[in-house]
Amino acid sequence: MKNISYFLIAIFFLSCSQVHLEKEEAAKVIRSAKEYPKVLEYDVYTADPESAKRLLDAGLEEAGIVTVDRTQKMIDVGKPIVHFTEKAKPYLIRIDPKYNVQVVKTADMDLGEILGIQLLEDKKSAEVEYTLVYKNITPFAKLIDRDLTKPKTQRARLSLFDSGWKLDKNP
């Protein structure tokens, strides 16, 4: 009887020491380390004709979000040819006048769902596959070369420390 009780106690301690990483905990660690949700930004070079062409091709002038100067005098070379309207103000983040760059918001990026967790052999690290979703998509999203309506799959490696799971910065 004594042996059985020792055996049961040993099984209890072994089962308690099992390392687990739940989806909720993985999401919490990733969201905290990567600071989700966050704004997905895009740089508009206001003095660059190529950047102006991209805005025109995206239909942002027709939508009343920007105006583009079609002609420029030699004395005005290097000055902005792209101007933002009142309609664009909610999407303007910051400006760098030194380089004639207006940073605009294209969407809010957030962790969607945890697709899977693979606990590695050492039981002290895990590979986590998750999705990024894009919300509050702005008209400037047309400037990005990917479809923001579809989630993007990402991977992260988490390591177990005495204080809990943490994101590996350099996996």
Side-chain angles (χ1 to χ4, degrees):
M1 189 70 170
K2 225 179 191 184
N3 288 341
I4 293 175
S5 60
Y6 286 132
F7 180 70
L8 291 175
I9 290 172
I11 290 176
F12 174 75
F13 282 115
L14 284 174
S15 66
C16 288
S17 67
Q18 287 279 346
V19 176
H20 291 291
L21 177 59
E22 299 296 325
K23 286 184 176 186
E24 295 79 22
E25 187 176 2
K28 183 179 172 186
V29 169
I30 293 169
R31 188 170 270 125
S32 173
K34 297 207 176 233
E35 299 176 348
Y36 292 130
K38 62 183 170 183
V39 174
L40 181 62
E41 301 175 349
Y42 185 84
D43 294 345
V44 176
Y45 296 89
T46 59
D48 179 32
E50 287 297 316
S51 188
K53 183 177 179 341
R54 283 186 65 105
L55 292 164
L56 291 172
D57 291 345
L60 296 178
E61 187 175 55
E62 291 171 5
I65 294 171
V66 298
T67 58
V68 177
D69 297 339
R70 301 284 199 283
T71 59
Q72 191 176 37
K73 297 177 183 170
M74 284 298 267
I75 197 165
D76 293 332
V77 171
K79 292 184 181 172
I81 56 173
V82 174
H83 310 282
F84 296 89
T85 66
E86 283 292 317
K87 217 172 176 182
K89 281 192 177 181
Y91 315 121
L92 304 180
I93 297 174
R94 66 184 170 281
I95 191 164
D96 183 353
K98 181 177 178 183
Y99 298 105
N100 290 319
V101 174
Q102 172 66 61
V103 180
V104 296
K105 174 183 176 178
T106 56
D108 291 321
M109 186 171 37
D110 197 5
L111 186 137
E113 67 175 312
I114 302 295
L115 300 174
I117 299 172
Q118 179 183 12
L119 204 56
L120 301 179
E121 287 181 28
D122 63 0
K123 305 288 186 206
K124 301 263 185 202
S125 55
E127 286 284 333
V128 180
E129 187 173 78
Y130 63 97
T131 59
L132 283 178
V133 292
Y134 302 94
K135 303 171 184 174
N136 304 320
I137 298 172
T138 74
F140 290 103
K142 295 175 184 174
L143 300 172
I144 294 179
D145 294 331
R146 71 172 175 258
D147 184 3
L148 298 182
T149 61
K150 297 178 182 172
K152 181 179 178 181
T153 303
Q154 296 279 356
R155 287 184 171 270
R157 180 175 289 215
L158 304 183
S159 293
L160 181 61
F161 291 86
D162 293 342
S163 58
W165 289 96
K166 295 191 180 182
L167 181 75
D168 281 354
K169 300 291 181 185
N170 303 345

